[in-house]
Amino acid sequence: MSAQAAPLADDPVASTRFADSYLLIANSALTAALGMLFWVVAARRFDAAEVAAAGSTLALVTLLADISLLELPGAATRYLAAYPRHRATLIKRAYAVVVATTTVAGLAFVALPADGWLGAIDRGEFAWFAAAWVLIVALPGLHDGILVGIGRTAAVPAKNLLFGAGKLALLVVFASTGWSDGILGAWMLTGVAVGVPTTVLITRWSTTGVADAQTDSVDWSEVRRFAPLHYLAGLLMMVWVVAPPILVTSWSEDAVSAAFFVAWTIGLISMTAVDAFMRPLTVAQSSRDGTARDATRSYITAAWKRALPVVAVLIVVTPLVLSVFGSDYRQEGTIVLRWLFLGVAVQIPVAAIVADARGRGDHRLLLGIGAIIATGILVAPVLAHVIGNRRDVGVWFAAAVVASHGIVAVVGLAGLRRSAR
């Protein structure tokens, strides 16, 4: 690949990557809308205590699921693109690993006390299959990574539309019956109904369209070197996603916890939409398709042009967004959500740099980014404790997200400018 590559817009393969990025952005927008509707119904039809308990439980299950995934979605995208003839083997191994790790995590979840330092755990009437919850929550992320890696990006929004709409429909049904476990019930039952057929489809697709692919053998030694460091970096970067909901729901009263979880969920979806836009960049840098080396800068420019006006509007209309949840959610949620919408702007270069480093196998850069972000997030509860205002710890977390990502963005953009010279 030449140092002076053609602009990304002139590269037909890279243009395909952009098309995949827009599909994933559409998927994120759809997921955000359905997710917001889900929590609107939950906030209006269930008690604040039930919303807080379900939020705390889902945050804990999500933590266990993310730990159990071993950063396989990103690794799957990278290696499935690099070794297309070995899709079936790579996918089977990924499933086997995730089933094993989520089983262990699920058993650990069952063994946790119902009211410990991690907050209230609401297993309700689903305790009999609670060990499977971690697998149910982990599978959608793994499926997304595999589908992008095998070139079936269009299936991602279709799958998540079914999941979001089904989850919302079941929530409405359960709310009408007065079932207190309706939030978790809608989530888990829909996860099973969508996850099983998706797994079947992926298994079938893994053996199609690879007859003319390269015959390169998988460099398993390179995979073994990359995987553990990639996982460690992923754990560090995961801190900002899962730690705040768990700590806030453990420290605050029900109304504040519920407001924070609703706002955090909406803001998190907005920020992960940026990650989704950048995901095909990993494919571009790991597959041998001749994509321009300056793809990272092109992705950042394109994302900023489209995202910043949206961010500005969202920051202004945030109170209106949260007003549909009711007055209990407005004050706490508005502050948190405005910070996180601002975080979308600084997340753009961070997500691009992470996707680029993952595609090139630069685990040292990934570890450095993860360390900066994790350190910034862990400082937030310390400051809240020192100041003595635990009620506002959610706001501290949201501000820490923006600050830590901002540091990475400044350093990363400076590095890109130096590499361009």
Side-chain angles (χ1 to χ4, degrees):
M1 197 177 295
S2 64
Q4 299 296 325
L8 191 66
D10 297 334
D11 188 328
V13 176
S15 298
T16 301
R17 303 300 179 209
F18 262 129
D20 287 348
S21 291
Y22 292 130
L23 276 173
L24 292 174
I25 278 289
N27 166 71
S28 296
L30 186 64
T31 302
L34 292 173
M36 180 176 173
L37 284 175
F38 181 89
W39 288 108
V40 166
V41 174
R44 286 186 169 275
R45 301 295 294 273
F46 292 85
D47 292 338
E50 293 170 348
V51 175
S56 176
T57 304
L58 286 171
L60 178 57
V61 173
T62 300
L63 169 63
L64 294 173
D66 286 340
I67 292 174
S68 303
L69 275 174
L70 307 178
E71 275 298 292
L72 278 174
T77 298
R78 178 174 191 264
Y79 287 109
L80 288 171
Y83 302 107
R85 284 188 64 85
H86 301 274
R87 287 177 182 173
T89 300
L90 291 167
I91 290 172
K92 287 176 183 177
R93 292 192 180 192
Y95 277 134
V97 169
V98 169
V99 169
T101 56
T102 54
T103 298
V104 174
L107 293 174
F109 171 70
V110 171
L112 289 172
D115 191 12
W117 67 275
L118 290 173
I121 299 176
D122 179 20
R123 300 186 184 95
E125 298 180 23
F126 289 94
W128 61 274
F129 83 111
W133 289 7
V134 180
L135 176 61
I136 294 170
V137 173
L139 273 181
L142 179 62
H143 287 158
D144 288 354
I146 291 174
L147 289 169
V148 174
I150 65 176
R152 299 277 184 168
T153 306
V156 175
K159 170 184 71 73
N160 290 329
L161 171 61
L162 288 175
F163 177 66
K167 185 173 61 176
L168 180 61
L170 278 183
L171 183 70
V172 172
V173 172
F174 294 156
S176 65
T177 64
W179 188 23
S180 60
D181 293 321
I183 298 175
L184 288 173
W187 200 287
M188 299 303 167
L189 293 177
T190 308
V192 173
V194 175
V196 172
T198 302
T199 302
V200 173
L201 279 175
I202 286 176
T203 303
R204 291 182 179 178
W205 287 338
S206 65
T207 57
T208 61
V210 297
D212 298 326
Q214 294 176 346
T215 58
D216 299 347
S217 298
V218 178
D219 185 355
W220 291 110
S221 62
E222 193 271 338
V223 174
R224 285 191 292 270
R225 288 194 303 272
F226 177 76
L229 294 172
H230 181 229
Y231 177 47
L232 178 58
L235 287 179
L236 290 171
M237 285 184 275
M238 187 180 67
V239 168
W240 77 270
V241 177
V242 296
I246 291 176
L247 290 178
V248 171
T249 52
S250 300
W251 286 6
S252 304
E253 64 268 20
D254 289 339
V256 173
S257 297
F260 173 81
F261 190 79
V262 167
W264 189 262
T265 300
I266 297 171
L268 184 60
I269 289 172
S270 302
M271 294 189 72
T272 51
V274 177
D275 291 326
F277 183 87
M278 300 299 176
R279 186 174 291 173
L281 183 58
T282 295
V283 178
Q285 299 296 10
S286 58
S287 59
R288 297 147 196 193
D289 57 19
T291 302
R293 180 61 186 88
D294 62 352
T296 304
R297 292 189 297 274
S298 298
Y299 263 78
I300 292 173
T301 301
W304 257 339
K305 285 180 179 178
R306 291 157 179 79
L308 292 183
V310 177
V311 171
V313 172
L314 288 174
I315 290 175
V316 173
V317 303
T318 296
L320 297 178
V321 172
L322 286 174
S323 65
V324 298
F325 291 90
S327 58
D328 291 341
Y329 294 81
R330 191 173 302 152
Q331 181 176 1
E332 177 80 11
T334 295
I335 300 173
V336 170
L337 201 50
R338 277 181 169 166
W339 272 109
L340 292 178
F341 284 152
L342 181 60
V344 173
V346 295
Q347 174 74 353
I348 288 171
V350 174
I353 294 164
V354 167
D356 177 271
R358 183 180 290 125
R360 292 183 292 103
D362 190 346
H363 54 262
R364 292 183 180 179
L365 179 56
L366 291 172
L367 282 171
I369 293 172
I372 293 173
I373 293 174
T375 301
I377 297 303
L378 294 177
V379 166
V382 175
L383 290 176
H385 181 75
V386 170
I387 294 174
N389 190 1
R390 286 188 171 189
R391 188 184 187 282
D392 292 333
V393 68
V395 177
W396 282 98
F397 273 125
V401 168
V402 177
S404 59
H405 282 73
I407 292 172
V408 174
V410 170
V411 175
L413 288 173
L416 286 175
R417 283 195 293 269
R418 285 196 301 269
S419 66
R421 295 172 183 172

